[in-house]
C-alpha cells in the first residue's frame, strides 16, 4: 500500500495544498489589511475635501453662523463611515484652536464627542501639520493614538470663506476641516470578516482534498490497476484470454479501454478467419492502428506555442510515440519515446507508456518525477523485458523556461540563433529497473526559439547503398529551415529523408516533434471578465516607463473601469474584455472593449456637491476615476462597448 501511486499523490497534494493555503492566508491578510487602511485614508480625505467645499459659504469669524451645520457633518459621517468630523479655526501665533462645529459617526467615543463641542477653545495644541495646512498645503494625514481613541486624521484647508463684514467671498484660509476614522473599529470589523473567510477557505480545502481523493481513486487509480492487470494478462497469454474492459466516460482511460476492447475483437476475428501468414500481417495492421490511435493531432497552437509533429510508420511496426498536452496551469508538456521491440507487443507497451505520460503530466509532476513514476510503473509489469527511451519536457510560458529530463533518448536540439544540443546528463531507458533517478535541467527560451525532438529512425534512415542520414545532415537542415516555423522544419526533414532513401525499404518509424515559442502579443490583453485578471493589466502598466505616481494613478483608473465591466457589462454571465495599452507622444491611452450589454461608464458621473451618500451606487469610484483622466471617449460599435481614456504624462515624466 505504501508504494501505491494513489497514496503518494494524496500525500503530496495534502502537503502542497497546506503550504499553498498558509501562504495565501498570510498574503491575503497583509494585502487586505493594507487596503483597509488605504481605503480608510481615502475616505477621510474625501470627507474632509468635500466638507471643505461645502463650508465655503460660512463665516469662520461668526460662531453663530455654524448653527445647524452639525446635521450636515453628521450626514457625511454616516454616509462615508467617518468617526469624527469637525471644523476648526486655528490661531498660528498662540497655537490655539477654536471648534466651530462637529459631527460624529456611530462608532464615536462619547467622551471625545463631549470634549469637542462647538465653541470649545483648545489652547496651545496646534500641530505642525495643521500649521502647514493653514499655510496652503492641500491635505495632511497623520496617525494619532490618544486617551480617547486610535485614529487616522486628515486636515484639509477651507480655502475660501464668506465674510459677513465684507459681504463677499474671501480667498483666505481661516479655518480647516478635520476628518477622523477609528482604526480600532475598522480593524475589528476586518478581523472578524477575515476569520470567517479563513474558516471558509480551510473548510473548502478539506472538502476539495476529500473529493479529489475520491475522484483519483475511482477515476485514475482503480481503472489504471484494472487496465494494467488486463494488459499484463493479455501479453502473457498472447491474446488467448481477454476479459472486456468496461468503458465509462470520455477521458483518456475510457479511450484506452475502448481501444483495447476493439483490439481484442480485431484479434479474435483475424485469428479465426485468416491463415498463419495473414495473421502476422493482421497483427501489424492492428499494431499500426493502436499506434496511430494513441497519438495526438500533428498540429497544435495556442497563444504561447506552436507544435507540429510527424510519425511515418515503418513496414515492420515499431513503438515510436510523440505526445503533447496543454496543462491546466497553462504549461505545455511534450515528450517523445521509442520502444525497443517491434510489432503488437511494442504497440501495447507503447500504449501503456503514453497513458502513463498523460496521467503524470496531468498531475503537474516535474519531468524528472514523471520519468521516475513512469519507469516504475512500466518496470513492474514488463514480462518481455522491453525498454523505452523517453524525453519529457515542460515549458512554462510565464517564465519562458523549459524544464526537461532524458531517459536514454536521442539528444534533442534548441534551434535559436545557433543550434544547441541538450546533451546534459542522461538517465537510463525506462521499463527495466525500478527506482532509477532522472536528472532534470532547465533552459531559458526566447521568442521564436524552437525545441526539436526526434527518434533514431531519423538519423538511422538508410539509402540503397547502406548509407545513413546521420546527425550532420539533420543539423544542417535544422539551421537552413529554422525560419520556416515548426511545420516547415518537420516537413523539410521528411522531404530530405524521402529524397535520401530514394525508395529504399524503411526499417524503423520516423518520428519528430517541433515546439516553437510564439512572440508576445504586444500591448493587447485578451482577458476573461473576472476581477482576478486585473493583475495582468497591472503588470502591463508596471512595465511602462513612467513615474511611480503615474503608474499608481493608471492602476486606480484601470481597476475601477475593469471591475465595472465585470459587474455591469456582464451582470449574469462571464464574458471577455480586450485591453489595449499605448504609451506614445507623451500620453498613455487605455482602451477597453467588451461585448456586454450597453454600458457607458462616463455617463452621468456625479457632481461631488450633489452626491447622495444613501442612494448613489458606484458614484464615488467613477467620480474619482474620471476626474483623474485628461480625456475619454465612449462608443457602442459592432455590439461592443469601446471606452478609451487618455492620461497626459509629459508633466509627470
Amino acid at each position: 500500500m505504501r508504494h501505491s501511486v494513489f497514496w503518494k499523490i494524496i500525500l503530496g497534494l495534502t502537503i502542497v495544498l497546506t503550504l499553498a493555503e498558509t501562504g495565501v492566508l498570510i498574503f491575503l491578510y497583509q494585502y487586505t489589511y493594507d487596503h483597509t487602511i488605504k481605503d480608510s485614508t481615502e475616505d477621510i480625505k474625501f470627507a474632509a475635501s468635500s466638507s471643505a467645499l461645502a463650508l465655503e459659504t460660512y463665516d469662520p469669524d461668526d460662531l453663530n453662523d455654524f448653527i445647524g451645520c452639525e446635521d450636515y457633518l453628521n450626514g457625511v459621517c454616516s454616509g462615508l463611515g467617518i468617526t469624527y468630523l469637525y471644523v476648526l479655526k486655528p490661531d498660528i501665533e498662540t497655537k490655539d484652536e477654536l471648534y466651530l462645529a462637529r459631527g460624529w459617526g456611530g462608532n464615536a467615543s462619547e467622551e471625545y464627542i463631549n470634549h469637542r463641542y462647538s465653541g470649545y477653545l483648545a489652547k496651545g495644541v496646534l500641530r505642525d501639520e495643521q500649521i502647514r495646512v493653514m499655510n496652503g498645503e492641500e491635505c495632511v494625514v497623520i496617525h494619532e493614538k490618544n486617551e480617547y481613541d486610535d485614529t487616522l486624521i486628515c486636515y484639509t484647508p477651507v480655502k475660501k470663506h464668506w465674510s459677513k463684514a465684507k459681504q463677499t467671498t474671501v480667498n483666505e484660509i481661516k479655518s480647516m476641516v478635520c476628518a477622523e476614522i477609528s482604526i480600532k473599529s475598522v480593524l475589528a470589523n476586518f478581523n472578524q470578516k477575515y476569520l470567517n473567510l479563513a474558516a471558509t477557505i480551510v473548510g473548502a480545502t478539506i472538502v476539495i482534498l476529500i473529493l479529489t481523493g475520491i475522484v483519483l481513486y475511482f477515476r485514475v487509480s482503480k481503472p489504471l490497476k484494472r487496465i494494467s492487470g488486463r494488459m499484463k494478462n493479455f501479453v502473457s497469454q498472447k491474446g488467448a484470454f481477454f476479459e472486456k474492459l468496461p468503458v465509462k466516460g470520455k477521458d483518456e482511460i475510457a479511450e484506452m479501454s475502448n481501444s483495447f476492447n476493439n483490439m481484442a475483437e480485431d484479434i479474435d476475428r483475424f485469428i479465426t478467419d485468416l491463415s498463419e501468414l495473414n495473421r502476422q500481417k493482421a497483427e501489424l495492421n492492428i499494431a499500426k492502428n493502436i499506434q496511430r490511435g494513441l497519438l495526438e493531432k500533428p498540429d497544435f497552437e495556442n497563444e504561447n506555442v506552436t507544435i507540429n509533429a510527424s510519425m511515418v510508420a515503418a513496414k515492420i511496426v515499431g513503438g515510436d510515440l510523440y505526445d503533447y498536452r496543454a496543462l491546466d496551469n497553462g504549461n505545455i508538456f511534450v515528450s517523445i519515446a521509442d520502444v525497443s521491440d517491434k510489432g503488437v507487443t511494442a504497440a501495447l507497451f507503447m500504449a501503456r507508456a503514453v497513458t502513463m505520460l498523460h496521467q503524470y503530466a496531468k498531475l503537474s509532476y516535474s519531468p524528472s518525477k514523471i520519468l521516475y513514476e513512469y519507469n516504475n510503473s512500466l518496470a513492474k509489469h514488463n514480462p518481455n523485458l522491453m525498454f523505452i527511451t523517453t524525453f519529457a519536457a515542460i515549458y512554462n510560458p510565464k517564465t519562458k523556461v523549459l524544464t526537461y529530463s532524458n531517459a536514454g533518448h536521442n539528444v534533442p536540439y534548441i534551434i535559436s540563433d545557433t543550434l544547441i544540443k541538450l546533451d546534459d546528463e542522461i538517465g537510463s531507458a525506462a521499463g527495466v529497473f525500478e527506482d532509477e533517478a532522472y536528472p532534470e535541467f532547465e533552459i531559458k527560451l526566447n521568442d521564436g526559439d524552437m525545441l526539436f525532438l526526434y527518434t533514431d529512425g531519423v538519423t538511422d534512415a538508410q539509402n540503397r547503398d547502406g548509407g545513413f542520414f546521420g546527425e550532420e545532415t539533420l543539423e544542417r537542415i535544422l539551421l537552413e529551415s529554422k525560419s520556416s516555423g515548426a511545420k516547415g522544419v518537420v516537413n523539410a526533414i521528411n522531404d530530405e529523408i524521402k529524397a535520401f532513401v530514394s525508395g529504399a525499404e524503411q526499417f524503423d518509424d520516423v518520428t519528430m516533434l517541433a515546439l516553437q515559442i510564439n512572440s508576445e502579443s504586444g500591448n493587447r490583453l485578451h482577458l476573461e471578465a473576472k476581477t482576478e485578471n486585473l493583475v495582468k493589466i497591472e503588470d502591463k502598466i508596471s512595465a511602462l516607463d513612467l513615474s511611480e505616481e503615474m503608474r499608481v494613478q493608471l492602476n486606480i483608473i484601470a481597476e475601477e473601469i475593469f471591475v465595472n465591466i465585470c459587474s455591469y457589462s456582464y451582470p449574469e454571465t462571464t464574458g471577455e474584455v480586450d485591453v489595449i495599452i499605448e504609451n506614445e507622444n507623451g500620453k498613455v491611452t487605455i482602451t477597453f472593449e467588451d461585448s456586454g450589454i450597453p454600458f457607458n461608464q462616463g455617463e452621468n458621473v456625479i457632481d461631488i456637491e450633489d452626491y447622495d451618500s444613501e442612494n448613489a451606487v458606484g458614484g464615488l469610484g467613477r467620480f474619482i476615476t474620471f476626474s483623474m483622466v485628461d480625456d475619454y471617449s465612449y462608443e457602442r460599435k459592432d455590439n461592443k462597448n469601446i471606452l478609451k481614456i487618455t492620461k497626459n504624462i509629459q508633466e509627470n515624466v
Side-chain angles (χ1 to χ4, degrees):
M1 180 68 73
R2 66 178 182 273
H3 298 296
S4 170
V5 174
F6 171 77
W7 290 110
K8 291 179 181 178
I9 293 172
I10 292 299
L11 178 60
L13 189 59
T14 301
I15 294 172
V16 170
L17 285 177
T18 301
L19 293 175
E21 184 178 75
T22 302
V24 167
L25 288 174
I26 293 173
F27 170 81
L28 187 61
Y29 184 91
Q30 187 60 51
Y31 179 85
T32 310
Y33 174 86
D34 292 341
H35 273 261
T36 299
I37 297 300
K38 180 180 177 182
D39 290 344
S40 297
T41 302
E42 293 300 322
D43 286 343
I44 60 174
K45 284 183 178 180
F46 182 80
S49 61
S50 59
S51 297
L53 290 174
L55 292 169
E56 290 180 357
T57 58
Y58 290 80
D59 187 350
D61 292 325
D62 186 356
L63 185 61
N64 293 327
D65 200 25
F66 286 83
I67 297 174
C69 183
E70 187 171 280
D71 291 338
Y72 166 79
L73 298 178
N74 285 336
V76 174
C77 290
S78 176
L80 297 178
I82 304 302
T83 309
Y84 311 104
L85 185 62
Y86 46 94
V87 187
L88 297 175
K89 180 183 177 184
D91 187 329
I92 296 178
E93 293 182 2
T94 63
K95 292 192 176 182
D96 297 341
E97 55 185 28
L98 176 65
Y99 284 77
L100 301 177
R102 50 74 186 283
W104 60 88
N107 54 1
S109 163
E110 185 174 350
E111 186 177 3
Y112 207 9
I113 294 171
N114 294 333
H115 176 69
R116 294 177 173 178
Y117 57 86
S118 178
Y120 173 74
L121 180 64
K123 295 187 176 183
V125 297
L126 200 65
R127 295 187 175 91
D128 291 339
E129 292 83 2
Q130 291 172 282
I131 295 174
R132 284 159 48 196
V133 169
M134 292 300 293
N135 287 330
E137 190 164 334
E138 189 69 27
C139 176
V140 176
V141 177
I142 65 170
H143 176 202
E144 179 184 70
K145 187 173 184 180
N146 54 42
E147 66 271 27
Y148 303 110
D149 210 340
D150 183 9
T151 61
L152 283 173
I153 307 174
C154 175
Y155 298 107
T156 298
V158 180
K159 294 185 176 180
K160 300 178 183 179
H161 66 273
W162 175 256
S163 173
K164 287 186 177 180
K166 297 180 180 180
Q167 290 297 303
T168 184
T169 298
V170 180
N171 291 319
E172 181 183 1
I173 300 174
K174 298 192 70 174
S175 61
M176 69 174 65
V177 177
C178 307
E180 298 188 24
I181 193 165
S182 173
I183 294 179
K184 290 181 180 178
S185 179
V186 170
L187 293 185
N189 184 47
F190 159 76
N191 286 332
Q192 183 59 48
K193 290 181 178 179
Y194 178 81
L195 289 175
N196 293 338
L197 176 62
T200 302
I201 292 175
V202 171
T205 302
I206 294 173
V207 172
I208 290 172
L209 188 61
I210 293 172
L211 293 177
T212 301
I214 294 172
V215 171
L216 283 175
Y217 179 77
F218 286 102
R219 296 298 297 166
V220 178
S221 180
K222 191 174 180 181
L224 281 178
K225 287 181 180 178
R226 185 189 300 117
I227 292 172
S228 181
R230 302 278 176 86
M231 288 169 58
K232 180 180 179 181
N233 181 64
F234 181 86
V235 173
S236 63
Q237 298 295 329
K238 307 295 183 184
F241 302 98
F242 186 84
E243 184 180 353
K244 201 168 186 177
L245 290 165
V247 179
K248 297 180 180 179
K250 297 182 179 180
D251 56 17
E252 290 85 351
I253 295 177
E255 291 174 1
M256 182 177 177
S257 300
N258 191 54
S259 295
F260 273 87
N261 290 337
N262 293 335
M263 176 198 67
E265 292 173 357
D266 289 343
I267 290 176
D268 287 339
R269 182 169 61 252
F270 277 90
I271 289 176
T272 302
D273 296 339
L274 302 177
S275 64
E276 185 66 27
L277 182 61
N278 289 334
R279 186 182 308 160
Q280 293 176 2
K281 184 178 179 180
E283 262 192 356
L284 296 178
N285 288 333
I286 292 170
K288 285 184 178 181
N289 290 334
I290 293 172
Q291 190 177 28
R292 292 193 187 100
L294 291 171
L295 295 177
E296 295 293 330
K297 297 184 298 182
D299 297 294
F300 171 83
E301 184 174 6
N302 66 10
E303 62 183 1
N304 299 310
V305 299
T306 299
I307 295 175
N308 184 263
S310 170
M311 198 279 289
V312 180
K315 183 177 179 181
I316 301 175
V317 179
D320 281 12
L321 69 91
Y322 67 80
D323 192 36
Y324 62 82
R325 184 158 300 274
L327 304 178
D328 293 339
N329 58 9
N331 293 345
I332 304 296
F333 167 77
V334 292
S335 66
I336 195 165
D338 187 359
V339 181
S340 60
D341 208 343
K342 309 288 184 185
V344 173
T345 304
L348 293 176
F349 198 76
M350 170 258 199
R352 287 182 61 203
V354 75
T355 302
M356 299 296 179
L357 289 172
H358 275 182
Q359 296 304 318
Y360 296 136
K362 286 178 66 176
L363 293 170
S364 297
Y365 285 359
S366 67
S368 60
K369 185 170 177 59
I370 288 174
L371 292 184
Y372 176 84
E373 298 293 349
Y374 162 81
N375 170 64
N376 283 350
S377 298
L378 294 174
K380 286 178 182 177
H381 307 291
N382 187 9
N384 295 318
L385 297 179
M386 290 184 290
F387 63 86
I388 180 169
T389 64
T390 308
F391 179 89
I394 292 176
Y395 172 67
N396 185 333
K398 295 179 180 177
T399 62
K400 295 194 174 182
V401 170
L402 180 79
T403 308
Y404 59 93
S405 188
N406 195 338
H409 196 74
N410 301 77
V411 175
Y413 294 91
I414 297 295
I415 310 171
S416 186
D417 296 331
T418 59
L419 204 60
I420 303 170
K421 294 184 73 172
L422 300 183
D423 54 357
D424 306 280
E425 183 180 352
I426 297 175
S428 60
V432 182
F433 302 108
E434 294 184 40
D435 296 325
E436 290 286 327
Y438 294 95
E440 188 173 277
F441 305 92
E442 293 183 349
I443 185 170
K444 184 73 175 287
L445 301 182
N446 299 314
D447 290 352
D449 285 357
M450 189 185 308
L451 169 69
F452 179 78
L453 312 178
Y454 68 102
T455 61
D456 57 13
V458 174
T459 51
D460 291 347
Q462 286 183 273
N463 60 19
R464 293 182 181 275
D465 299 326
F468 292 94
F469 189 77
E471 286 188 8
E472 184 176 342
T473 305
L474 173 63
E475 292 176 359
R476 175 181 59 81
I477 301 169
L478 289 176
L479 287 172
E480 290 175 352
S481 61
K482 65 180 182 179
S483 61
S484 60
K487 189 170 185 178
V489 167
V490 172
N491 287 343
I493 296 171
N494 273 327
D495 291 343
E496 287 284 344
I497 292 175
K498 186 176 180 180
F500 175 79
V501 299
S502 188
E505 186 175 356
Q506 181 183 338
F507 293 101
D508 201 358
D509 296 343
V510 175
T511 307
M512 293 172 280
L513 183 146
L515 177 146
Q516 186 169 31
I517 310 305
N518 294 337
S519 298
E520 292 184 347
S521 59
N523 60 356
R524 176 180 287 269
L525 292 169
H526 184 72
L527 306 173
E528 192 173 4
K530 292 184 177 180
T531 54
E532 55 262 34
N533 286 327
L534 186 62
V535 66
K536 297 181 180 179
I537 303 176
E538 293 173 345
D539 289 342
K540 279 287 185 184
I541 292 174
S542 297
L544 297 177
D545 185 17
L546 301 172
S547 66
E548 181 63 25
E549 179 184 357
M550 180 56 62
R551 285 196 290 265
V552 169
Q553 291 183 31
L554 289 172
N555 278 328
I556 292 172
I557 293 169
E559 177 180 356
E560 175 68 18
I561 293 176
F562 186 76
V563 170
N564 283 342
I565 291 173
C566 296
S567 301
Y568 302 116
S569 287
Y570 299 106
E572 297 180 357
T573 59
T574 299
E576 296 179 337
V577 185
D578 284 322
V579 183
I580 304 98
I581 302 174
E582 299 171 294
N583 181 11
E584 296 177 346
N585 302 322
K587 295 180 180 180
V588 173
T589 301
I590 307 179
T591 305
F592 299 83
E593 299 180 1
D594 69 85
S595 301
I597 62 174
F599 175 45
N600 181 3
Q601 299 196 42
E603 186 176 35
N604 298 325
V605 176
I606 65 169
D607 186 326
I608 193 61
E609 295 183 356
D610 299 328
Y611 177 64
D612 183 350
S613 60
E614 296 183 357
N615 300 311
V617 178
L620 288 178
R622 289 199 296 140
F623 167 76
I624 293 172
T625 296
F626 286 95
S627 65
M628 292 173 68
V629 304
D630 293 300
D631 190 18
Y632 79 92
S633 64
Y634 167 83
E635 63 176 330
R636 179 74 178 181
K637 184 178 180 181
D638 298 329
N639 293 321
K640 286 186 176 182
N641 296 308
I642 303 175
L643 177 64
K644 180 183 291 186
I645 67 98
T646 301
K647 184 74 175 172
N648 296 330
I649 62 171
Q650 290 177 328
E651 61 184 13
N652 296 286
V653 175

